Amino acid sequence: MWLGSNVFILLSDPRNIEVILSSSVHIEKADIYKFSLPWLGTGLLTSTDSLWHKRRKIITPTFHFKILEGFVEVFNSNAQILVEELKKHVADKYVDIYNNISLCDLDIIC
C-alpha cells in the first residue's frame, strides 16, 4: 500500500507474520518509529542491528512462556488497577497516560 511516497506491506497470513516477527535479520525499523523515540528511547522495540541483538539476548530468557505463566495473575491485577485509573479520565479530551503506564510497569516488575 502506498501512502504518499512511503510503501507499506500489509500481512494477513499468520505464517508470513511469524517469519517477520521471529526474524533476527529483518529488524530494520521503519521511519515511523522515530516518532516514538522521545517517549520510548532506543530500547528493544526501537533499536536495530547490534544494539537490538545485544538487548534481545539479555531479555529473551525473561520472556519464556513458562516463566511468564507464573505472572499472569500479577499482570491481570495490575492491568485492572490501570483500567480503573484510566476510567477516571474517560470524559477528558486529552490524557497524558505516561505516568499511569510507568506506574503499572513498575508495579508489575516489582
Side-chain angles (χ1 to χ4, degrees):
M1 173 179 86
W2 283 93
L3 183 59
S5 62
N6 295 310
V7 66
F8 293 87
I9 298 172
L10 307 173
L11 303 172
S12 60
D13 186 319
R15 294 171 294 181
N16 295 331
I17 295 169
E18 182 180 13
V19 169
I20 300 298
L21 293 180
S22 64
S23 174
S24 61
V25 176
H26 304 294
I27 59 170
E28 187 66 32
K29 305 301 189 255
D31 288 339
I32 195 87
Y33 278 83
K34 291 177 186 173
F35 292 109
S36 65
L37 285 175
W39 183 45
L40 298 174
T42 51
L44 187 60
L45 179 65
T46 58
S47 61
T48 58
D49 299 325
S50 62
L51 183 59
W52 180 87
H53 283 285
K54 179 182 171 186
R55 291 177 174 172
R56 174 68 188 208
K57 188 175 179 178
I58 291 169
I59 203 166
T60 294
T62 306
F63 290 100
H64 189 276
F65 72 94
K66 287 291 185 189
I67 292 172
L68 292 177
E69 281 178 355
F71 293 98
V72 170
E73 191 174 316
V74 173
F75 298 152
N76 286 339
S77 64
N78 284 288
Q80 275 306 122
I81 293 168
L82 175 62
V83 168
E84 292 305 317
E85 285 298 313
L86 294 177
K87 280 182 181 178
K88 296 175 184 176
H89 302 285
V90 78
D92 297 347
K93 188 171 184 176
Y94 300 102
V95 180
D96 181 357
I97 63 169
Y98 182 83
N99 287 333
N100 299 94
I101 299 297
S102 295
L103 289 172
C104 182
D105 289 345
L106 285 172
D107 287 344
I108 288 171
I109 291 168
C110 291

mmCIF file of all heavy atoms in Angstrom, residues 10 32 57 60:
data_model
loop_
_atom_site.group_PDB
_atom_site.id
_atom_site.type_symbol
_atom_site.label_atom_id
_atom_site.label_comp_id
_atom_site.label_asym_id
_atom_site.label_seq_id
_atom_site.Cartn_x
_atom_site.Cartn_y
_atom_site.Cartn_z
ATOM 1 N N LEU A 10 1.311 -4.920 3.955
ATOM 2 C CA LEU A 10 0.355 -5.407 4.933
ATOM 3 C C LEU A 10 0.301 -6.929 4.846
ATOM 4 O O LEU A 10 0.104 -7.483 3.771
ATOM 5 C CB LEU A 10 -1.023 -4.802 4.666
ATOM 6 C CG LEU A 10 -1.047 -3.271 4.577
ATOM 7 C CD1 LEU A 10 -2.418 -2.787 4.142
ATOM 8 C CD2 LEU A 10 -0.653 -2.658 5.890
ATOM 9 N N ILE A 32 8.670 5.578 10.790
ATOM 10 C CA ILE A 32 7.591 5.945 11.714
ATOM 11 C C ILE A 32 8.003 5.726 13.177
ATOM 12 O O ILE A 32 7.515 6.401 14.080
ATOM 13 C CB ILE A 32 6.285 5.182 11.361
ATOM 14 C CG1 ILE A 32 5.090 5.798 12.057
ATOM 15 C CG2 ILE A 32 6.397 3.721 11.705
ATOM 16 C CD1 ILE A 32 4.463 6.906 11.292
ATOM 17 N N LYS A 57 19.297 -10.582 23.395
ATOM 18 C CA LYS A 57 19.978 -11.706 24.041
ATOM 19 C C LYS A 57 19.831 -11.641 25.559
ATOM 20 O O LYS A 57 19.636 -12.650 26.224
ATOM 21 C CB LYS A 57 21.450 -11.707 23.638
ATOM 22 C CG LYS A 57 22.204 -12.918 24.091
ATOM 23 C CD LYS A 57 23.624 -12.894 23.553
ATOM 24 C CE LYS A 57 24.386 -14.113 24.025
ATOM 25 N NZ LYS A 57 25.747 -14.153 23.502
ATOM 26 N N THR A 60 15.716 -12.187 26.373
ATOM 27 C CA THR A 60 14.994 -13.359 25.872
ATOM 28 C C THR A 60 14.609 -14.362 26.958
ATOM 29 O O THR A 60 13.455 -14.792 27.015
ATOM 30 C CB THR A 60 15.784 -14.043 24.741
ATOM 31 O OG1 THR A 60 15.839 -13.154 23.643
ATOM 32 C CG2 THR A 60 15.120 -15.331 24.302
#
